[in-house]
Amino acid sequence: MRIILLGAPGAGKGTAAVKIAAKYGAAHISTGDLLRKNIKEGTELGKKAKEFVDNGHLVPDELVIALVKDSVGKIESFLFDGFPRTTEQAKAVDTFTAIDKVINLQIDEALLMSRITGRRICKDCAAVYHVDLLNGKDKCSLCGGKLCQRADDNEATVKSRLDVYKKQTAPLIDYYKQQNKLIDIDAGREAAAVFADVEKILG
Ligand code: ADP
C-alpha cells in the first residue's frame, strides 16, 4: 500500500500512522520525525532545517523531497505522515511513485491547540501521548523511553503551524479530490474510533 495521511497539526496523523504501520506492515515515513532526528544528530540537513522547524515554518521543498525520496528508496509499501505539505511536494510525489489512497483526518480547529500543547512524545521511539491521559507517568509504555514535550509544541509556534497548514497544505485536499484518491475521516474522536474507520478503508 502507498498511503498519504493528510491533516492539520494535531489531527492525529502520527498516532494513526503508528497503528497502520503495525497492522499492515507498511513503512511509516514521517518527515517531522526524520527532520527531528537529523536536528538531534546535527547532520547537514538538520542544521539547515532547525530554524524552520523551531519557528513552525516549512522546511524548503527541495530538502524535504530529497529526504523522502531517499527514505522510500525501493520500499513498496509505505505511509507518508506529514508529507506532502505543499503542492510542489505533491507534484514531486507523482514523479516517483503512485499513491493509492489519501486519508484526510478532518478536525475542528478549536480542538487542535489543547491537543498539541498537551502532547508528549517518547524521545526514543517517537510514540505520541497526551498529558491528560498519562496520570503523571513520564515513561513510554512501548519502549520505556522518557516522555518529553516537542520544542515546537508551544502556543506561538502552533499558531504559526496552523496558519501554514491553512495556506500551504489545505489546498492538497482539492488536489487529491481531483485525483479521486481522497477519503475523509472525522478525526475529532478518540484514537480507537478513528483507527476503526481507517481499517474499514484499508480492509
Ligand atoms: P505536525 O503535523 O504536528 O505539525 P510534524 O512532526 O509533521 O508535526 O512537523 C513538524 C515540523 O517539521 C513542521 O512544522 C515543519 O517545520 C517540519 N516539516 C515536517 N514535514 C514537512 C514537510 N513535508 N515539508 C516541510 N516541512 C516539514
Side-chain angles (χ1 to χ4, degrees):
M1 68 169 62
R2 294 177 299 270
I3 307 282
I4 291 172
L5 277 183
L6 206 59
K13 299 185 296 294
T15 303
V18 169
K19 294 183 183 186
I20 296 169
K23 169 150 185 181
Y24 297 94
H28 174 196
I29 298 181
S30 156
T31 41
D33 287 349
L34 291 168
L35 290 168
R36 280 185 290 279
K37 184 165 180 279
N38 276 272
I39 291 170
K40 196 163 138 193
E41 291 171 358
T43 65
E44 276 312 302
L45 170 64
K47 284 180 201 154
K48 288 183 191 151
K50 184 172 183 340
E51 205 180 316
F52 296 102
V53 174
D54 284 352
N55 293 321
H57 299 142
L58 292 185
V59 174
D61 287 332
E62 64 275 16
L63 296 179
V64 179
I65 291 164
L67 174 69
V68 172
K69 262 189 176 172
D70 198 46
S71 307
V72 170
K74 296 197 162 42
I75 298 174
E76 296 201 352
S77 185
F78 59 77
L79 168 73
F80 287 156
D81 159 13
F83 177 88
R85 252 171 154 101
T86 64
T87 307
E88 215 43 53
Q89 293 177 15
K91 285 183 183 159
V93 170
D94 291 341
T95 67
F96 70 83
T97 189
I99 295 297
D100 304 317
K101 291 189 173 90
V102 178
I103 298 177
N104 182 33
L105 299 180
Q106 285 184 312
I107 185 161
D108 186 341
E109 199 185 326
L111 289 174
L112 295 176
M113 186 58 81
S114 68
R115 272 199 183 189
I116 303 178
T117 52
R119 177 157 70 184
R120 300 294 179 267
I121 59 164
C122 171
K123 77 172 186 29
D124 294 332
C125 76
V128 184
Y129 298 85
H130 193 282
V131 76
D132 290 350
L133 303 174
L134 281 170
N135 296 320
K137 249 182 43 181
D138 63 354
K139 295 268 178 335
C140 175
S141 53
L142 299 177
C143 77
K146 192 169 157 18
L147 301 184
C148 311
Q149 187 166 27
R150 263 169 52 179
D152 62 342
D153 277 353
N154 62 76
E155 215 171 308
T157 310
V158 172
K159 280 208 179 99
S160 153
R161 283 156 58 199
L162 292 175
D163 242 33
V164 166
Y165 168 77
K166 275 188 252 175
K167 290 197 188 108
Q168 295 186 262
T169 308
L172 295 186
I173 294 173
D174 273 343
Y175 183 89
Y176 287 115
K177 234 183 228 166
Q178 277 165 19
Q179 291 192 1
N180 272 323
K181 290 180 179 161
L182 195 86
I183 301 155
D184 292 321
I185 288 187
D186 171 8
R189 301 164 298 155
E190 60 168 60
V194 173
F195 187 60
D197 278 3
V198 170
E199 285 175 307
K200 276 184 215 150
I201 292 165
L202 299 180

